[in-house]
């Protein structure tokens, strides 16, 4: 099964072709990602600039993905696009493009939930069996999710305020580092003294596996303000302290999440990490040690597949297509779309899932 996937929910314009074999394994035939550089000057993603940039380059990105896969649209079995959640202007561009291709090539459309794409990536890279525990940590989301089947997700924990990637980005901004902040903070932390500053670890020890990051963010800002003008060493030491706090928070929260998973669904086949923050090597290593200590294998897809790209959208499309789940050309772009309602683009929740009002 060959599927084209289009991703435009944030500041990456991306398209890819993947193949799903009958035995459920996957293969990436092409994966073209164009990151929009224009936002760096603003220290964050500007939605209008993002939408316009997607319009300008998406045709070319799709064409490149098809050429690299050595395929024409006629060879495909389906066209998938991320239909949300995300910045609505960009989502409209990607979904409309996918609809146009589906219409002209007479192929089924799959409107993919971007979070579901992150959730299913480990099946593309490692053929992980259900059920597994997912830690999704990106710029917009921080969730611990029980992945029970395609379209069957139960959220165990979430952030009460900022997303983890957002906390990295805000930390970078406070310290004068460029956007996106995650990789910058990670790099600076390698040169920093982790013992110089001690930052708080909100929620650590609490019985429910939720996150809260605004207190950590504020503590970092106050510490930075106390030390102005910041030297390079100050910046590195603050990054090391921030990342150290994040690691302790994440491993503690995941420990609780895994315990809760076991109580409700039995032993997971794996702990899977996804989202941009999962590209952080120190966080990956710490999670690996924690998972090992509770006899749960860690599956961490390669970093380029943890951040936003078209292959994960194409793969989620292929998984849905393999189960006969397709969408009509009426499918709507959505700014908000909770993962637990990812069963269909019209928002029908899977049976047994608790309805949620917000992401
Ligand atoms: O999944 P993603 O590419 O896009 C969203 O859906 O948000 O995640 C982007 C986020 C940004 O906040 C970025 O700073 C963060 O992931 N990120 C990292 C790292 N690489 C990207 N955070 C920590 N360490 C990294 N190495
Ligand atoms: Zn993402």
């Amino acid at each position: 099964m060959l599927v084209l996937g289009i991703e435009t929910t944030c500041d990456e314009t991306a398209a890819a072709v993947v193949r799903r074999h009958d035995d459920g394994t996957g293969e990436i035939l092409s994966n073209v990602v164009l990151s929009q550089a224009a936002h760096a000057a603003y220290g964050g993603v500007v939605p209008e600039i993002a939408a316009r940039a997607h319009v300008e380059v998406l045709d070319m990105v799709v064409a490149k993905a098809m050429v690299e896969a050595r395929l024409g649209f006629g060879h495909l079995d389906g066209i998938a696009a991320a239909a949300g959640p995300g910045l609505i202007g960009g989502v409209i561009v990607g979904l409309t493009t996918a609809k146009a291709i589906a219409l002209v090539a007479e192929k089924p459309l799959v409107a993919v939930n971007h979070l579901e794409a992150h959730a299913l990536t480990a099946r593309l890279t490692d053929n992980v069996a259900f059920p597994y525990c997912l830690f999704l940590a990106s710029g917009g989301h921080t969730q611990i999710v029980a992945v029970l089947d395609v379209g069957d997700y139960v959220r165990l924990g979430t952030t009460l305020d900022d997303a983890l990637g957002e906390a990295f980005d805000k930390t970078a901004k406070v310290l004068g580092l460029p956007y996106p902040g995650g990789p910058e903070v990670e790099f600076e932390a390698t040169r920093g003294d982790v013992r110089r500053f001690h930052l708080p670890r909100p929620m650590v020890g609490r019985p429910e596996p939720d996150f809260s990051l605004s207190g950590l963010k504020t503590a970092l800002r106050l510490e930075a303000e106390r030390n102005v003008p910041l030297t390079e060493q100050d910046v590195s030491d603050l990054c090391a302290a921030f990342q150290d706090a994040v690691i302790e928070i994440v491993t503690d929260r995941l420990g609780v999440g895994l315990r809760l998973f076991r109580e409700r669904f039995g032993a997971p086949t794996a702990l899977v990490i996804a989202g941009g923050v999962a590209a952080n090597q120190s966080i990956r290593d710490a999670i690996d040690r924690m998972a090992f200590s509770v006899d749960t294998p860690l599956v961490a897809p390669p970093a380029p597949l943890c951040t936003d790209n078209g292959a994960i959208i194409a793969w989620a499309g292929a998984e849905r297509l393999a189960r006969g789940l397709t969408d009509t050309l009426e499918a709507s772009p959505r700014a908000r779309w909770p993962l637990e309602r990812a069963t269909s683009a019209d928002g029908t929740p899977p049976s047994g899932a608790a309805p949620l009002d917000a992401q």
Side-chain angles (χ1 to χ4, degrees):
M1 188 174 277
L2 290 164
V3 178
L4 168 69
I6 294 174
E7 160 59 37
T8 53
T9 61
C10 194
D11 57 344
E12 264 87 27
T13 313
V17 179
V18 305
R19 175 180 279 130
R20 185 182 184 280
H21 300 282
D22 290 341
D23 64 2
T25 57
E27 187 188 341
I28 298 173
L29 302 189
S30 64
N31 195 10
V32 180
V33 181
L34 206 64
S35 294
Q36 301 175 1
H39 305 288
Y42 302 90
V45 178
V46 184
E48 283 74 17
I49 294 179
R52 220 167 308 144
H54 288 305
V55 172
E56 281 165 15
V57 298
L58 183 57
D59 286 2
M60 183 200 70
V61 169
V62 169
K64 192 155 186 276
M66 295 305 295
V67 167
E68 286 182 10
R70 299 171 182 272
L71 295 170
F73 292 135
H75 297 111
L76 299 171
D77 297 292
I79 317 293
L87 300 174
I88 196 66
V91 176
I92 291 170
V93 173
L95 184 59
T96 307
T97 302
K99 285 179 183 178
I101 298 170
L103 185 66
V104 171
E106 297 180 8
K107 302 293 177 186
L109 172 77
V110 189
V112 167
N113 179 304
H114 178 92
L115 304 177
E116 179 171 42
H118 280 302
L120 297 175
T121 303
R123 289 171 55 77
L124 165 65
T125 56
D126 295 79
N127 203 17
V128 177
F130 298 115
Y132 54 88
C133 186
L134 170 75
F135 176 46
L136 173 62
S138 68
H141 307 278
T142 302
Q143 305 186 356
I144 301 175
V145 179
V147 181
L148 305 176
D149 202 343
V150 174
D152 194 359
Y153 311 97
V154 177
R155 197 177 72 191
L156 301 175
T158 188
T159 179
L160 307 178
D161 39 59
D162 291 353
L164 207 42
E166 193 182 354
F168 269 93
D169 294 334
K170 287 179 176 169
T171 293
K173 200 169 180 179
V174 163
L175 300 178
L177 300 169
Y179 175 87
E184 301 287 334
V185 172
E186 180 178 16
F187 175 70
E188 289 297 332
T190 60
R191 306 194 293 196
D193 176 2
V194 76
R195 287 159 308 184
R196 183 166 155 216
F197 299 104
H198 186 79
L199 297 173
R201 278 106 164 106
M203 305 294 279
V204 163
R206 293 277 287 268
E208 69 289 357
D210 289 326
F211 294 77
S212 168
L213 296 154
S214 67
L216 170 60
K217 179 188 69 184
T218 305
L220 177 114
R221 183 172 50 74
L222 294 175
E223 203 61 79
E225 282 170 7
R226 268 196 284 277
N227 287 276
V228 278
L230 296 174
T231 63
E232 273 183 35
Q233 193 59 49
D234 292 337
V235 169
S236 300
D237 293 347
L238 283 164
C239 286
F242 172 79
Q243 191 168 278
D244 193 52
V246 166
I247 285 173
E248 194 177 327
I249 293 166
V250 165
T251 49
D252 176 81
R253 307 289 68 211
L254 284 177
V256 175
L258 282 172
R259 217 174 310 141
L260 193 63
F261 189 110
R262 279 206 171 78
E263 280 166 26
R264 292 181 63 178
F265 310 108
T269 59
L271 171 64
V272 167
I273 56 175
V277 180
N280 184 299
Q281 194 57 48
S282 304
I283 296 178
R284 288 164 86 107
D285 292 346
I287 294 176
D288 197 13
R289 287 192 294 275
M290 187 279 300
F292 184 78
S293 73
V294 293
D295 290 328
T296 306
L298 174 72
V299 174
L305 292 176
C306 283
T307 50
D308 291 349
N309 65 88
I312 67 172
I313 305 298
W315 175 253
E319 292 254 68
R320 296 182 72 82
L321 208 52
R323 285 157 194 252
L325 299 168
T326 60
D327 295 274
T328 67
L329 294 180
E330 310 298 316
S332 307
R334 300 152 145 238
R336 296 171 82 81
W337 187 1
L339 182 54
E340 282 179 307
R341 292 190 187 150
T343 287
S344 70
D346 66 13
T348 316
S351 58
L356 292 165
D357 293 333
Q359 178 309 104

